[in-house]
Amino acid sequence: MPDLTEEEADALDEYYTTHLPPVGPNGTGFISRRNARLLGLDALSTDYLMATALATHKSPAQIIGELVREKLARTAAEPAEVP
């Protein structure tokens, strides 16, 4: 691949500064339906994440973070098992 000239680099910088790529559940975000499959999520988990993301206007990563924090809070509230 040839090196870019200063003009080409400036043009690309200007383009991507003013034309941000779309992100979210439409297939282009960090955790999109397409990428969720690559992460090993099953169809039910992916569908839940996408539906919840659309309904709450949150990213799938935010939803996963909330689920993890809820699980940790529940686990911390449970009495410890004594062997």
Side-chain angles (χ1 to χ4, degrees):
M1 176 178 212
D3 291 335
L4 296 176
T5 65
E6 285 295 320
E7 293 80 22
E8 292 170 328
D10 289 340
L12 284 174
D13 178 54
E14 177 66 26
Y15 177 81
Y16 284 109
T17 299
T18 58
H19 298 87
L20 296 175
V23 296
N26 64 356
T28 57
F30 171 70
I31 299 181
S32 63
R33 183 174 300 279
R34 177 187 58 206
N35 290 337
R37 301 260 189 252
L38 296 175
L39 294 173
L41 297 178
D42 59 30
L44 178 64
S45 300
T46 303
D47 291 343
Y48 173 80
L49 281 173
M50 295 305 125
T52 304
L54 290 172
T56 62
H57 304 289
K58 295 179 181 178
S59 72
Q62 289 173 311
I63 296 165
I64 291 170
E66 290 174 359
L67 291 170
V68 169
R69 284 187 286 284
E70 288 173 13
K71 176 69 174 175
L72 289 172
R74 269 196 313 270
T75 303
E78 295 174 359
E81 289 185 24
V82 179

